[in-house]
DNA sequence: GGGTCAACCAAGCAAGCGCTAGTGTAAATG
DNA sequence: CATTTACACTAGCGCTTGCTTGGTTGACCC
């Protein structure tokens, strides 16, 4: 019933929605629960979002955009060596997974709840992010740092990293930097 | 309204439920949809299962039990070398992911929909499976085949493998055996 | 040939769902 | 000062949900 702007108000509501979606899952989260968390009534919610689906899309878009920004920044300000770039990407990935944890968990678990339109839009964003990864993997392959099939290595590495949302405890003894180091050490073949 | 037996009828119903849960997700799958898929009326469903939750638990239990059986068989009939055992586990993991794909996708995506009781029971099963992995990783570490932290390596490897359900196409050119080979090659450090 | 039992059905209840309609109001805008 | 805009409210419609109730069927058993 209104514009789909990106006001700071809407950003804050999106953040709160992400939290609830993680706790309850998208389908079990009712618009009444969302409204209560936001401190408004359920009807008022539809002033900010066209429907429930749009809230989900907003959550995922926010997380993916941030991942892109962080990864690009990390690649710009690191050494040129293939190993440094590989590590920078892994570290940036883990950092995003941590700081925007809710949004990324939602993206991983609730992707299929998106309607085709939103899914199409968001998969372009995700492709842009994955292209960064593939470029870095290509450099590492060319440098002889890792071996194997470009496609498979990229999938395996992203799988290992994304899986951390299921077990990693940020309050534990290991930092994201430690994890990135260990992963790179695990897959690189040096003398 | 009846016993929680494991009749062949119930096994078949469980298999069909798994398929629907993958297609639609647990929350969006209604008991009426399940009943229709099974060729019975929605009320009759509660003759076989106490409630909807129990169907979910049955699906996941079935998949995890099979994974255990397959992994144990693979370890028994492979060479004793650390590398052969690592590869046997990876291959068995991918095979299970393929043959019981529906059950495992449900386990990955809908785990949090389990009630605490079922979750507790099933996490013991899962722990038994992961213990197999940790033993094999330990052997590989002791043999100098891989380096790093036991806990982290195990998590990374399982993450890489489990992630395959999101992209692997069994109709494609690569066999599960190829994937297992590539993964082991990626993480082992040989001369 | 009466009794048992798993398997199934028709009907429906109470609760909850996403979303709409219409209204109020304080601040920004002309 | 008059109007628009942004944001919130109340009330509730039309529909779906998981699950229950009470009863029927047909195969098997002593």
């Amino acid at each position: 019933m209104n514009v789909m702007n990106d006001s700071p108000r809407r950003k804050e509501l999106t953040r709160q929605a992400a939290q609830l979606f993680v706790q309850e899952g998208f389908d079990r989260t009712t618009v009444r629960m969302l409204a209560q968390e936001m401190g408004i009534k359920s009807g008022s919610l539809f002033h900010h979002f066209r429907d429930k689906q749009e809230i989900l899309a907003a959550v995922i878009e926010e997380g993916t955009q941030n991942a892109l920004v962080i990864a690009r920044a990390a690649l710009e300000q690191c050494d040129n060596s293939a190993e440094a770039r590989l590590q920078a990407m892994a570290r940036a990935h883990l950092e995003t997974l941590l700081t925007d944890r809710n949004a990324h968990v939602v993206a991983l678990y609730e992707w299929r709840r998106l309607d085709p339109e939103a899914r199409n839009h968001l998969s372009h964003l995700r492709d842009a992010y994955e292209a960064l990864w593939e470029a870095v993997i290509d450099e590492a392959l060319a440098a002889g740092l890792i071996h194997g099939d470009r496609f498979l290595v990229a999938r395996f590495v992203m799988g290992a990293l994304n899986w951390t949302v299921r077990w990693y405890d940020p309050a534990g003894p290991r930092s994201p930097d430690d994890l990135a180091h260990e992963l790179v050490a695990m897959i690189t073949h040096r003398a």
Side-chain angles (χ1 to χ4, degrees), chain A:
Chain A
M1 277 313 191
N2 70 326
V3 283
M4 304 181 276
N5 59 8
D6 43 18
S7 61
R9 177 79 174 129
R10 184 173 145 130
K11 268 222 164 106
E12 170 62 12
L13 297 180
T14 301
R15 218 185 44 81
Q16 291 176 309
Q19 162 122 21
L20 256 183
F21 286 162
V22 168
Q23 269 176 39
E24 308 285 334
F26 177 70
D27 289 322
R28 290 182 108 82
T29 303
T30 69
V31 295
R32 287 166 178 81
M33 291 163 66
L34 286 165
Q36 186 167 31
E37 185 85 359
M38 297 165 176
I40 58 179
K41 300 297 176 183
S42 68
S44 313
L45 213 157
F46 295 91
H47 172 74
H48 301 279
F49 303 92
R50 194 181 324 148
D51 53 22
K52 198 186 165 193
Q53 282 271 344
E54 197 183 271
I55 309 180
L56 177 61
V59 166
I60 297 182
E61 169 145 24
E62 177 77 7
T64 313
Q65 291 278 19
N66 284 354
L68 254 176
V69 168
I70 291 181
R72 281 185 182 136
L75 285 180
E76 267 178 29
Q77 62 189 48
C78 77
D79 289 355
N80 251 353
S81 79
E83 182 168 10
R85 290 171 71 76
L86 199 57
Q87 199 143 283
M89 269 305 278
R91 194 200 139 104
H93 195 104
L94 289 166
E95 246 168 45
T96 300
L97 241 39
L98 202 72
T99 62
D100 287 313
R101 189 172 191 283
N102 287 338
H104 289 294
V105 170
V106 169
L108 297 186
Y109 280 94
E110 317 285 0
W111 181 266
R112 296 173 324 153
R113 301 288 154 260
L114 292 166
D115 55 39
E117 196 181 344
R119 179 152 32 190
N120 182 60
H121 167 56
L122 290 172
S123 51
H124 281 81
L125 260 185
R126 199 195 47 185
D127 288 350
Y129 178 75
E130 293 191 355
L132 290 183
W133 261 108
E134 280 164 18
V136 170
I137 299 262
D138 273 343
E139 294 170 31
L141 282 170
L145 201 63
I146 56 180
H147 309 316
D149 181 274
R150 166 190 192 251
F151 178 84
L152 285 181
V153 171
R155 288 297 187 286
F156 283 151
V157 168
M158 285 199 276
L161 288 174
N162 286 330
W163 196 252
T164 58
V165 301
R166 289 181 72 107
W167 56 266
Y168 179 62
D169 173 18
R174 282 181 262 255
S175 72
D177 213 36
D178 291 339
L179 291 198
H181 256 92
E182 279 269 3
L183 181 73
V184 172
M186 186 176 85
I187 63 171
T188 53
H189 298 235
R190 283 168 304 167

